[in-house]
Amino acid sequence: MIRHTVVFRLKHAPGSEAEHDFLQAACALANIEGVQKFECLRQVSAKNPYTFGLSMEFADAASYAFYSDHPDHSAFVQQRWIPEVEEFMEIDYEPTGGL
Amino acid sequence: MIRHTVVFRLKHAPGSEAEHDFLQAACALANIEGVQKFECLRQVSAKNPYTFGLSMEFADAASYAFYSDHPDHSAFVQQRWIPEVEEFMEIDYEPTGGL
């Protein structure tokens, strides 16, 4: 299992229609084959600069690569993510395996 | 639901006994009342400086506060976290609620 997460802050005003529209578009990434447990989340800690997060799981590295290379993902990154996201950090998790 | 996560890097050498011992101590936080879905994870993305993560869920803000204020949590922070963690970031999530 690989859990891919990204925490981010948009250029849009909080509560705006543009914010809502971006999040709706992000949710469509859940439809790419191999994406499991997709979540769109609100980031609520004051200890970092981010306001939203996406989380999803893949069975293995091949499924993750299929997602990353998928034309729908590439189009979202180019057409929505790069122009509309102010700041972000990607964090990926795997089980520690018996630690 | 509130998902409390923290991503971090230890001062200890990767694979060391000290690293293993720290992670074992961190896992004991799962025993505090109200902690759900506790996970100790390996952070595997090259796009941030962290190497491990903890993730847990709370039913509500009161359960989260009970955990934060619990003597076992306070002792862990003072005796293990502050001396042994090089760098960290806390990220907390809630559902977006119908976005």
Side-chain angles (χ1 to χ4, degrees):
Chain A
M1 183 282 281
I2 303 167
R3 183 179 302 151
H4 170 53
T5 76
V6 59
V7 63
F8 60 99
R9 186 162 53 85
L10 293 170
K11 295 177 181 174
H12 306 306
S16 64
E17 187 59 37
E19 176 189 86
H20 180 77
D21 189 64
F22 178 91
L23 297 171
Q24 288 287 115
C27 287
L29 296 170
N31 298 324
I32 296 176
E33 190 182 324
V35 173
Q36 301 172 359
K37 299 186 182 178
F38 185 93
E39 294 174 292
C40 182
L41 300 155
R42 197 174 290 280
Q43 200 296 119
V44 296
S45 170
K47 297 177 182 175
N48 70 64
Y50 309 109
T51 52
F52 290 103
L54 301 176
S55 178
M56 64 199 78
E57 292 186 6
F58 300 100
D60 50 35
S63 297
Y64 188 2
F66 180 85
Y67 165 83
S68 295
D69 298 339
H70 195 283
D72 291 353
H73 177 255
S74 301
F76 176 77
V77 169
Q78 292 300 319
Q79 296 165 17
R80 306 300 305 260
W81 191 268
I82 292 172
E84 299 179 52
V85 171
E86 180 71 30
E87 193 177 2
F88 71 99
M89 178 179 286
E90 292 180 71
I91 299 170
D92 292 347
Y93 292 116
E94 292 182 4
T96 50
L99 275 168
Chain B
M1 183 281 283
I2 302 167
R3 183 178 303 150
H4 170 54
T5 76
V6 59
V7 62
F8 60 99
R9 186 162 51 86
L10 294 170
K11 295 177 181 174
H12 307 306
S16 64
E17 187 59 37
E19 176 188 87
H20 180 78
D21 189 64
F22 178 91
L23 297 171
Q24 289 289 114
C27 285
L29 296 170
N31 299 323
I32 296 176
E33 190 182 324
V35 173
Q36 301 172 0
K37 299 186 182 177
F38 185 93
E39 294 174 290
C40 182
L41 300 155
R42 197 175 291 280
Q43 200 296 119
V44 296
S45 171
K47 298 176 182 174
N48 70 65
Y50 309 109
T51 52
F52 290 103
L54 302 176
S55 178
M56 64 198 80
E57 292 185 9
F58 299 100
D60 51 34
S63 297
Y64 189 2
F66 180 85
Y67 165 83
S68 294
D69 297 339
H70 195 283
D72 290 353
H73 177 255
S74 300
F76 177 78
V77 169
Q78 292 300 319
Q79 295 165 18
R80 306 301 304 261
W81 190 268
I82 292 172
E84 299 179 53
V85 171
E86 180 69 33
E87 195 177 1
F88 71 98
M89 178 178 286
E90 293 179 70
I91 299 170
D92 291 347
Y93 292 117
E94 292 182 5
T96 49
L99 274 169

